[in-house]
Amino acid sequence: ISQCIASWKGALSNVSGVYLITDMKTGKLYVGSATGEGGIWQRWSEYALNGHGSNRELVALLSEKGKEYSDNFQYSVLEIADTHASSNDVLARESYWKDILCSREHGYNAN
């Protein structure tokens, strides 16, 4: 990641949680989660590498518009959890945020 600030990397590497990607061009949202080794930092690093983090809807979007379209994405943390929290707990909170933000109906979440 080009802006690797040690304090942010340390903090985000040590937490699991739910995050939001906002397409600043369209306003569409994508809610995702990160669990396990490397926490949110590791997950966001995947997005930095390819723009889509292997998410089906984002892969399709960037296939159509080009990888540079990911420059329109803004990343936010919605909720953090200890890296020892169960994956099921984090996934349940991810689903909660998808419902609240309607990211399945009006965003990039397919599930």
Side-chain angles (χ1 to χ4, degrees), residues 20-63:
L20 177 69
I21 300 174
T22 303
D23 183 334
M24 299 302 288
K25 203 142 187 113
T26 65
K28 288 187 172 185
L29 304 175
Y30 175 82
V31 176
S33 64
T35 59
E37 189 86 24
I40 292 173
W41 183 267
Q42 185 276 330
R43 188 68 183 112
W44 283 2
S45 295
E46 293 175 27
Y47 289 100
L49 289 175
N50 60 23
H52 55 67
S54 300
N55 293 297
R56 187 174 69 212
E57 296 292 318
L58 297 178
V59 167
L61 177 69
L62 297 182
S63 291

Side-chain angles (χ1 to χ4, degrees), residues 74-108:
Q74 176 180 291
Y75 295 81
S76 307
V77 175
L78 292 174
E79 188 172 332
I80 60 169
D82 185 291
T83 52
H84 301 293
S86 80
S87 294
N88 287 339
D89 290 341
V90 175
L91 290 173
R93 296 304 297 164
E94 177 186 5
S95 185
Y96 165 82
W97 284 105
K98 288 175 184 178
D99 290 342
I100 293 298
L101 297 172
C102 301
S103 63
R104 292 180 184 105
E105 298 84 358
H106 304 292
Y108 296 124

